[in-house]
Amino acid sequence: MAPQTNESAPARPRKLVALHWLTVLCVLLAAAFILTRDQLDGRAVRQWLLEGHRHFGLIVFLLFFVRVALRVRLGKLPPTHESHWTLRWMAGLTHVALYAIVLLLPLLGWALSNALDKPVHFFGLTLPALVAADEDLADQLQAWHTDAAWILLALVCLHVLGALYHHFVVRDQVLRAMLPARRR
């Protein structure tokens, strides 16, 4: 595995890079809203933060479908590096797990709200209920939603560590390929 530091980064399609970083931003904002909510008093502020959490979660849910559609449209992307098949396999598995959790986490939150008999609103629209009101189901969905959030955190950490490994250890162009293009 020879470093590719002399070559310019084989950039990924701009739309894919933009969707990646928009998803990152929305996940961070959803997490910040719910973590901040847990630290504050005041019903109105807490409700506003919960709605913000829901909105950013639903945006992540929509971005999932946009990303999948774009990936299907783009087909197989050319490799940005040469690596052992086990690293490629682990990276692929991590990406599939990230896509799955980005789909599952908002669905669990939506169902949780419904199980708590709370409608889910998205920019003025009331979304259909996924499940009926049920306290026992709400408890289970809350646990699953929290567990899924921890799994997302673990996967994101693994993803970031992989990118840093490629950048600082392998010294290839994997990280640079996903950075927004610089103006020249």
Side-chain angles (χ1 to χ4, degrees):
M1 203 164 27
Q4 302 174 358
T5 54
N6 294 336
E7 299 175 21
S8 64
R12 291 300 190 207
R14 293 172 105 185
K15 290 178 184 176
L16 190 63
V17 172
L19 285 171
H20 175 270
W21 291 107
L22 183 58
T23 302
V24 169
L25 177 64
C26 290
V27 166
L28 287 173
L29 288 170
F33 273 57
I34 205 65
L35 292 172
T36 302
R37 178 184 186 266
D38 291 343
Q39 303 302 316
L40 296 177
D41 293 324
R43 183 176 168 93
V45 171
R46 289 175 54 82
Q47 184 60 35
W48 183 83
L49 289 168
L50 179 60
E51 285 301 317
H53 172 75
R54 288 178 181 152
H55 273 77
F56 282 111
L58 289 169
I59 292 169
V60 168
F61 181 67
L62 291 175
L63 288 172
F64 166 85
F65 293 102
V66 174
R67 288 179 69 152
V68 167
L70 182 60
R71 288 302 307 262
V72 168
R73 185 172 158 259
L74 291 172
K76 185 170 172 70
L77 298 173
T80 56
H81 63 290
E82 289 295 323
S83 61
H84 195 269
W85 70 268
T86 54
L87 284 178
R88 289 192 313 272
W89 183 82
M90 287 181 356
L93 186 62
T94 302
H95 280 100
V96 167
L98 278 166
Y99 272 88
I101 204 76
V102 163
L103 174 64
L104 182 64
L105 195 55
L107 284 173
L108 288 170
W110 184 350
L112 170 60
S113 294
N114 296 155
L116 292 169
D117 202 23
K118 296 180 181 174
V120 176
H121 303 285
F122 188 61
F123 295 110
L125 297 173
T126 301
L127 301 181
L130 298 178
V131 299
D134 181 331
E135 285 184 37
D136 292 333
L137 179 59
D139 290 341
Q140 187 62 58
L141 289 168
Q142 177 65 53
W144 290 344
H145 189 65
T146 301
D147 291 346
W150 283 109
I151 291 168
L152 176 61
L153 178 61
L155 289 169
V156 166
C157 289
L158 187 61
H159 186 65
V160 168
L161 285 173
L164 293 175
Y165 169 78
H166 275 279
H167 190 71
F168 291 110
V169 176
V170 180
R171 302 180 70 83
D172 62 17
Q173 304 302 316
V174 170
L175 179 61
R176 285 189 181 101
M178 284 304 291
L179 293 176
R182 294 183 187 159
R183 293 184 183 199
R184 297 176 190 190

